[in-house]
Amino acid sequence: MKHKIAIFLAGIFFSLVGLTPVLQAASDQDLSAKQQGIVTIAAFTAKGDLERLKTALNEGLDAGLTVNEIKEILVQMYAYCGFPRSLNGINTFMSVMKEREAKGIKDELGREASPLPAGKSSIELGTEVQTSLIGAPASGAIYTFAPAIDEFLKGHLFGDIFGRDNLDFQSREIATISALASINGVNNQLRSHFNVGLNVGLTEAQLRSLITVLEMRVGKQEADNATGVLNNVKGSLLIP
């Protein structure tokens, strides 16, 4: 009898060992600690919740985000939630850095962005970046109706900001999606950036992990809305 029990337990053990690679593969589809830090930093900046932003900034640094990566996230936020909230976020980050320095914490500065390509205008660079992100040249009645917005999007957002190389496109899209998911009335833009996130290599599982972070840290209403938008994208693209 004891021999049979031992065989049974051994079978369970080896079955679990065999499942380990599968479980590990599933966990690899989640956002990393650094990426989760981007979610909360962007979300609380967009919402203007500076108290929770302060916590998110500390957690992001502790997770391994560099000072310059966080600066880049906060700067990018002005394109999606306006200068006032971006500036408030930067001021909050300055306070966090002073407090950490006073405690003797030395955070990694990280690298600065490289100069933009020589001999190429911001609009030329931005057109290339925008086309790469959305998978095709941008077009639509809105750009014909207001050509200035097309010029500003290409030249400034995608050229001057997204063209900076000290934050990769996946990180920029995680930040953008998280900010848009935290703002009311921008589901069209959120839907577009879920598509862009998929185009730059984020998986559906990672996007759902992003939403889980929103639900746990930001709010259920924001997470439920983002889930509905992503489900709409999933249905339209027939993502497996």
Side-chain angles (χ1 to χ4, degrees), residues 77-105:
M77 286 299 95
Y78 97 78
Y80 295 97
C81 58
F83 270 117
R85 291 195 169 176
S86 176
L87 291 169
N88 287 343
I90 292 170
N91 278 323
T92 301
F93 190 34
M94 290 170 63
S95 297
V96 166
M97 292 302 301
K98 287 180 181 178
E99 290 177 5
R100 290 173 72 90
E101 288 168 6
K103 294 176 182 177
I105 301 173

Side-chain angles (χ1 to χ4, degrees), residues 110-148:
R111 69 185 188 86
E112 299 281 354
S114 303
L116 295 179
K120 185 177 292 187
S121 70
S122 294
I123 290 182
E124 289 171 329
L125 174 62
T127 300
E128 293 176 5
V129 171
Q130 183 189 48
T131 301
S132 172
L133 291 176
I134 67 176
S139 61
I142 190 172
Y143 303 125
T144 303
F145 181 73

Side-chain angles (χ1 to χ4, degrees), residues 24-53:
Q24 182 62 45
S27 67
D28 288 344
Q29 293 299 303
D30 296 333
L31 295 183
S32 69
K34 289 175 62 174
Q35 289 171 323
Q36 290 180 40
I38 294 173
V39 174
T40 52
I41 289 169
F44 293 136
T45 301
K47 291 179 77 67
D49 190 335
L50 302 184
E51 281 302 312
R52 290 202 284 176
L53 174 60

Side-chain angles (χ1 to χ4, degrees), residues 31-48 53 56 65 73 76-77 80-81 85 162 169-184 186-187 189-194 197 202 206-215 217-219 221-223 225-227 229:
L31 295 183
S32 69
K34 289 175 62 174
Q35 289 171 323
Q36 290 180 40
I38 294 173
V39 174
T40 52
I41 289 169
F44 293 136
T45 301
K47 291 179 77 67
L53 174 60
L65 286 170
I73 294 163
Q76 180 181 315
M77 286 299 95
Y80 295 97
C81 58
R85 291 195 169 176
F162 273 70
F169 287 155
Q170 288 191 5
S171 297
R172 290 190 183 278
E173 283 307 312
I174 289 170
T176 301
I177 290 167
S178 302
L180 292 173
S182 303
I183 302 172
N184 291 328
V186 293
N187 278 358
Q189 289 74 28
L190 179 58
R191 184 179 299 107
S192 295
H193 280 279
F194 271 134
L202 292 169
Q206 286 175 314
L207 294 177
R208 294 200 182 278
S209 178
L210 184 159
I211 293 172
T212 298
V213 176
L214 288 175
E215 182 170 9
R217 299 295 307 279
V218 181
Q221 180 178 340
E222 291 83 354
N225 179 66
T227 296
V229 174

